[in-house]
Amino acid sequence: MDSALIPEGAKRCPFPVFAAGIAIVGVVVLWGVYAMGLCWLKGLNQTNMNDYYGFALWIWADLAVIAIGGGAFFTGLLRYVFGIDELKNIINLTVVIGFICYSSALLILAIDIGQPLRGWFIFWHANVHSMLTEVAFCLSLYFSVLTIEFIPLILENRQVDKVPFFHNLGHNMHGVMAIFAATGAFLSCFHQGSLGGVAGVMYARPFAYREGLLVWPWTFFLFTWSAAAYGPCFTLTVLKMFEGITKKKLVKDNVVHLLAKISGWMIFTYIIAKIIDTIYWATVTAPSQGFKLMDFYSDNAFYGIWILILEIVICGIVPAIILTKKSFRENSRLLLIAVVLGTLGVCLNRWVMVLQIMAVPVMSFDTWALYFPSWQEIATTVLPVAYGIILIALAYRYLPVFPQEKELNAD
Amino acid sequence: MFPFSFEWAWDAGHLLFFGGMWYTVAILGAGLTFCLVKTIADTLAGKGSHH
């Protein structure tokens, strides 16, 4: 039915099967859109946000998708600026993932601000003393970069490529992609950092507050570093999911192992910095504000010291060891465990830096403020995931996302 | 956002934020313009038509 649109030589499931899959995920999208409509029509009283939780589940999801989407800017930087040519075989996947993650982040923000029709205020009436203003600027501009990076892939569709204008446009955009990739890396470094900076400058929240360099708290640098380190883990997680679902090999092992190795060393250096930061915060910064480490991890039903151990040891040190040691990362099962743990690790870090901050009591007479999201918040958080599944499925079916697919599945 | 907006101030904050923003927009705009102009020229020259 749609065979004329499928990349030449590629095998895809029958169209009815594909359409049925899209329809099932589409129901989830509709559920999310309904919840989104409620939030826009009735207001943010549809959520369980309150005076304690001005940031809630959405903002965690926002920070998490931006972090795991960091594979796009980092892999783009490695491929186009540092000239690591092998990565050309996985760069398309990182661009699609990045596009999904950043469009999801903007969608979440459009819901979170409650009145998206006033979204342009942050540009027009910018508060130039706010890290979030920088985040808004860089997010929007980097999404533009990702769109520019995505266009050549769309133009490579079998039918679109037959049109001379589109063929030439795709070719010419590839020619100057290094400029766009470098711009994207610059933007990404700053907004990833500023998202960390937002937490780090909150001197009235001892759990989050960090000292730093000039106007930038250490969390600024840790967020950028962690996005670059763990982003490729999510890319590889998605790749492994694809290979599992399609029962095909899509990218050669040397490419996967190279990206895993780079990610591993980035995680290794990041986790050392994170441990130093945590020790300094626990022994100097927090005590200077009248808090002991265990004040942040006790007397409540959820946040125990387990969350710190899980983030740093299980989802940090373990993937770092697996991915930096050649024999470990070349074992497909260990590789999968490492990249999944890495992805979970960065999401957990964002959870802690968005939600645990809000929960920890600040005043001596205060109590822990645990929160559970409303169904509207859950639905609108699931919405980008469902949308992402649909978009990546369409991209895989109709675009040459994996240049090595044909060669690896010649039989 | 623009120097002619009533709330604009010629201070370091505005220069850094909006300088960075317009600089980036200029790079992206110039890159895309170059691609489009070159594509039109290539297409008129008959490139890509035998593809």
Side-chain angles (χ1 to χ4, degrees), chain B residues 5-6 11-12 17 24 29 31 34-35 37-41 45-48:
Chain B
S5 300
F6 74 92
D11 57 18
F17 267 74
T24 308
F34 169 79
C35 287
V37 170
K38 193 169 185 307
T39 299
I40 292 165
K47 277 191 186 175

Side-chain angles (χ1 to χ4, degrees), chain A residues 47-95:
Chain A
T47 74
N48 283 350
M49 287 195 279
N50 52 34
D51 288 346
Y52 276 103
Y53 283 93
F55 282 175
L57 185 72
W58 286 335
I59 298 299
W60 163 72
D62 200 66
L63 266 67
V65 294
I66 288 169
I68 59 181
F73 91 85
F74 188 60
T75 314
L77 185 75
L78 295 171
R79 160 76 180 93
Y80 293 110
V81 179
F82 295 144
I84 302 177
D85 202 48
E86 295 101 309
L87 296 177
K88 70 175 185 284
N89 297 306
I90 203 165
I91 194 77
N92 290 345
L93 178 65
T94 66
V95 166

Side-chain angles (χ1 to χ4, degrees), chain A residues 214-253:
Chain A
L214 301 174
V215 298
W216 298 286
W218 296 126
T219 46
F220 181 99
F221 306 102
L222 288 172
F223 265 51
T224 301
W225 205 337
S226 59
Y230 289 105
C233 281
F234 184 63
T235 304
L236 293 174
T237 303
V238 172
L239 173 67
K240 292 296 168 191
M241 282 166 62
F242 255 111
E243 290 185 337
I245 292 164
T246 61
K247 296 182 176 60
K248 289 182 197 168
K249 186 131 191 73
L250 298 168
V251 177
K252 285 184 179 174
D253 283 340

Side-chain angles (χ1 to χ4, degrees), chain A residues 33-250:
Chain A
V33 169
Y34 173 65
M36 183 173 74
L38 284 176
C39 293
W40 280 345
L41 292 169
K42 295 190 173 186
L44 293 180
N45 61 0
Q46 298 295 296
T47 74
N48 283 350
M49 287 195 279
N50 52 34
D51 288 346
Y52 276 103
Y53 283 93
F55 282 175
L57 185 72
W58 286 335
I59 298 299
W60 163 72
D62 200 66
L63 266 67
V65 294
I66 288 169
I68 59 181
F73 91 85
F74 188 60
T75 314
L77 185 75
L78 295 171
R79 160 76 180 93
Y80 293 110
V81 179
F82 295 144
I84 302 177
D85 202 48
E86 295 101 309
L87 296 177
K88 70 175 185 284
N89 297 306
I90 203 165
I91 194 77
N92 290 345
L93 178 65
T94 66
V95 166
V96 175
I97 292 170
F99 182 87
I100 290 166
C101 287
Y102 277 79
S103 53
S104 298
L106 289 171
L107 175 69
I108 291 167
L109 289 177
I111 306 167
D112 188 63
I113 59 175
Q115 295 206 30
L117 291 178
R118 295 185 183 180
W120 55 277
F121 276 33
I122 202 164
F123 294 96
W124 199 267
H125 306 288
N127 171 11
V128 296
H129 305 286
S130 167
M131 290 218 182
L132 282 179
T133 305
E134 188 201 329
V135 170
F137 280 23
C138 291
L139 261 185
S140 311
L141 289 167
Y142 185 52
F143 178 65
S144 307
V145 171
L146 281 164
T147 306
I148 291 166
E149 289 179 341
F150 195 10
I151 288 169
L153 182 61
I154 295 168
L155 297 178
E156 281 178 35
N157 172 273
R158 216 163 116 191
Q159 298 305 320
V160 177
D161 191 54
K162 287 177 181 174
V163 180
F165 179 84
F166 292 142
H167 173 80
N168 291 330
L169 182 61
H171 177 76
N172 289 329
M173 286 179 84
H174 272 301
V176 294
M177 201 51 79
I179 294 168
F180 296 130
T183 308
F186 164 81
L187 292 166
S188 227
C189 282
F190 273 89
H191 80 250
Q192 298 277 8
S194 288
L195 286 168
V198 168
V201 297
M202 290 200 288
Y203 54 83
R205 296 266 180 189
F207 181 77
Y209 178 70
R210 298 291 191 279
E211 287 148 68
L213 185 69
L214 301 174
V215 298
W216 298 286
W218 296 126
T219 46
F220 181 99
F221 306 102
L222 288 172
F223 265 51
T224 301
W225 205 337
S226 59
Y230 289 105
C233 281
F234 184 63
T235 304
L236 293 174
T237 303
V238 172
L239 173 67
K240 292 296 168 191
M241 282 166 62
F242 255 111
E243 290 185 337
I245 292 164
T246 61
K247 296 182 176 60
K248 289 182 197 168
K249 186 131 191 73
L250 298 168

